[in-house]
Amino acid sequence: TVLVLDFGSQFSHLLTRRMREFSIYAEMLPCTQKLSDLSWSPVGIILSGGPYSVYEEMAPHVDPAFLDLNVPVLGICYGMQELAYRLSKDNVVAGTAREYGHADLKATRVSGHVDRLFEGLEDNMRVWMSHGDKLAKLPEGFHTIAITRNSEFAAIGHETKPIYAIQFHPEVTHTIGGNQLLKNFAVNICNAKQSWTMASFVDQTIARIRKLVGPEGQVLGAVSGGVDSTVAAKLMHEAIGTRFHAVMVDNGCLRLNEAEQVKKTLTEHLGINLTVVDASVQFLDGLKGITDPEKKRKFIGGKFIDIFEEEVKKIEDAAANSDRAGKIEWFLQGTLYPDVIESISFKGPSQTIKTHHNVGGLPKLMTEGHGLKLIELRELFKDEVRELGRNLGLHEDLVMRHPFPGPGIAIRVLGEVTPERVEIARQADFHFINMIREKGLYNQIGQAFAALDPSRAVGVMGDKRVYQYIIILRAVQTYDFMTANSYPFDSDFLAEVATRITNEVAGVCRVVYDVTSKPPGTIELE
Ligand code: XMP
């Protein structure tokens, strides 16, 4: 196992992902991890980038014991500065300008050879930089192994030990050859075993869950019918059967027929122990008068907690009347990396973009507020979760399902949410998605939906002037949901969908298509 110590860069999680792409198992732990608390020995260590300056008072530092293990170490960006700073505080200075974007890297040749970190790579490669601080000088015992126009120390290596440090980010796709560099480090330098597979991941995860929960433990988990929570639920079910209690809350803002469909799939097809709670009235009543998107999320997150509390109690009461020991001790959190990054990051500065309630509020309150312990399944990226889903026997339709946010249509009705507006957005969404499916486009699109703009527009229908809602259609192509482009429908498609929605959905006289990328837009409109 390769250990990634995370100093808070938004790219840290990509490092473990790259390792899995080489069939190597890697684990990411916060940079505050102590070696003495680790129950396994890494074959190599990667220190990630991070938003701090090593010389700041609050800056995090690696437990020096890791560096005394004598296993190969690769410091990236902040990780590089951390390695240099540990050797001498005057090794790192604030750069005169932040360097952000592409740089041309040239590997240095010594007696005709590049360093083994650069083996198999072009001598000149385009790399991606994102840093303010830089090395002021070469730390003692190191030599330069690659340079850029702005830096004589773009990559350095120790003369005798397998310690490397690089200023650029090999883990992002903008660095051409970055994968090969990481592979050189993990495979050739660390000698990590290339034996990781999705099937071994399933076995390990199930074993991990069983060990953690014990023979009696009971786990509660929220499911939405999306691929992530379904995969997480299926894993729990495989591990502990009916001691896993899945709860789906119908918040009144789900897609058309969603609650019934999810119930059918999870219970009949996957055998998961599921309760669907219809709380639509409570949610829709409570949403009255709230217009601010973050307040909507907070309200919905809070309400989920209330409903969960009631459910925990009900399940415990039911168990108390049976022969089973009743207490639920665990709460399952199954989520994706981009969700985690956008909501929380190591101590913060990668600013909260939106508080996704499945990450921010619910688990924290369920654990801190209710003494439940958290089980997390969050190593994987969306495409990996899908592969895992197939491995677990999930139906292809479910595996490829577009994500749907926890607050649902509530954040797709701009401004105040009313039952009427939710219903209109829901109907429009239904027609849009159906048409996408009919035209065979569903799997080419990362996420598509209809939103409703409650400011109205004038139209003419059946010779009458109308003044009705505007439907905004959004469809994006995305690799990881962190950046996205609007899907380029042809104009016939757009004209046809506009006709269909204005004909079929009462209360709508305009349909517009959102062509904004993320950034600067986000995928959802709120
Ligand atoms: P944004 O709008 O932030 O969306 O570009 C990125 C992905 O996250 C989903 N999303 C959410 N999921 N609770 C969720 O469970 C939320 O509050 C939330 N907000 C956005 C969004 O649908 C997209 O897939």
Side-chain angles (χ1 to χ4, degrees), residues 20 198 201 336-337 378-382 384-385 388:
R20 290 193 294 275
M198 201 47 97
F201 179 80
L336 271 183
Y337 261 118
R378 68 175 188 195
E379 275 100 325
L380 305 180
F381 281 77
K382 195 87 184 176
E384 295 177 301
V385 174
L388 175 58

Side-chain angles (χ1 to χ4, degrees), residues 297 339 342 354-358 403-407 411-412 447 481 518 522-524 526:
R297 281 194 172 75
D339 282 2
E342 294 192 8
K354 290 179 188 179
T355 44
H356 292 190
H357 80 81
N358 58 343
F404 185 67
I411 55 165
R412 294 177 174 177
Q447 192 169 1
F481 295 88
K518 173 183 180 176
T522 53
I523 294 176
E524 301 294 341
E526 284 196 337

Side-chain angles (χ1 to χ4, degrees), residues 106-116 118-123 143-145:
K106 190 169 168 37
T108 318
R109 285 188 177 264
V110 178
S111 320
H113 294 288
V114 292
D115 188 274
R116 55 187 183 146
F118 291 101
E119 230 166 71
L121 287 161
E122 304 280 329
D123 277 12
H143 61 270
T144 297
I145 55 175

Side-chain angles (χ1 to χ4, degrees), residues 267-428:
T267 53
E268 288 175 25
H269 179 56
L270 299 173
I272 294 166
N273 176 13
L274 170 75
T275 311
V276 179
V277 185
D278 180 0
S280 43
V281 175
Q282 295 177 53
F283 277 92
L284 290 171
D285 276 356
L287 278 166
K288 259 184 215 151
I290 307 180
T291 51
D292 177 75
E294 283 297 287
K295 287 200 178 119
K296 283 188 204 173
R297 281 194 172 75
K298 292 254 154 66
F299 166 77
I300 292 174
K303 196 85 200 150
F304 262 105
I305 315 253
D306 297 345
I307 309 278
F308 265 91
E309 267 177 14
E310 286 167 24
E311 257 346 270
V312 175
K313 219 179 148 334
K314 277 190 211 152
I315 294 168
E316 287 184 350
D317 287 350
N321 294 328
S322 72
D323 51 359
R324 199 199 281 141
K327 207 120 187 76
I328 290 183
E329 287 174 276
W330 296 91
F331 181 74
L332 168 71
Q333 147 102 323
T335 189
L336 271 183
Y337 261 118
D339 282 2
V340 177
I341 296 157
E342 294 192 8
S343 290
I344 41 170
S345 144
F346 170 72
K347 282 197 198 146
S350 136
Q351 278 191 13
T352 298
I353 299 173
K354 290 179 188 179
T355 44
H356 292 190
H357 80 81
N358 58 343
V359 180
L362 190 59
K364 193 157 180 270
L365 279 158
M366 290 309 280
T367 50
E368 286 174 13
H370 299 273
L372 294 189
K373 292 176 279 187
L374 196 64
I375 289 197
E376 292 186 287
L377 301 172
R378 68 175 188 195
E379 275 100 325
L380 305 180
F381 281 77
K382 195 87 184 176
D383 54 328
E384 295 177 301
V385 174
R386 292 194 160 127
E387 198 189 325
L388 175 58
R390 290 190 187 101
N391 234 279
L392 290 165
L394 266 54
H395 196 275
E396 192 61 20
D397 273 0
L398 205 166
V399 165
M400 290 309 293
R401 206 146 183 243
H402 292 176
F404 185 67
I409 297 175
I411 55 165
R412 294 177 174 177
V413 168
L414 307 188
E416 188 178 355
V417 178
T418 65
E420 182 212 16
R421 291 173 183 180
V422 170
E423 193 49 38
I424 291 175
R426 177 184 281 142
Q427 294 290 339

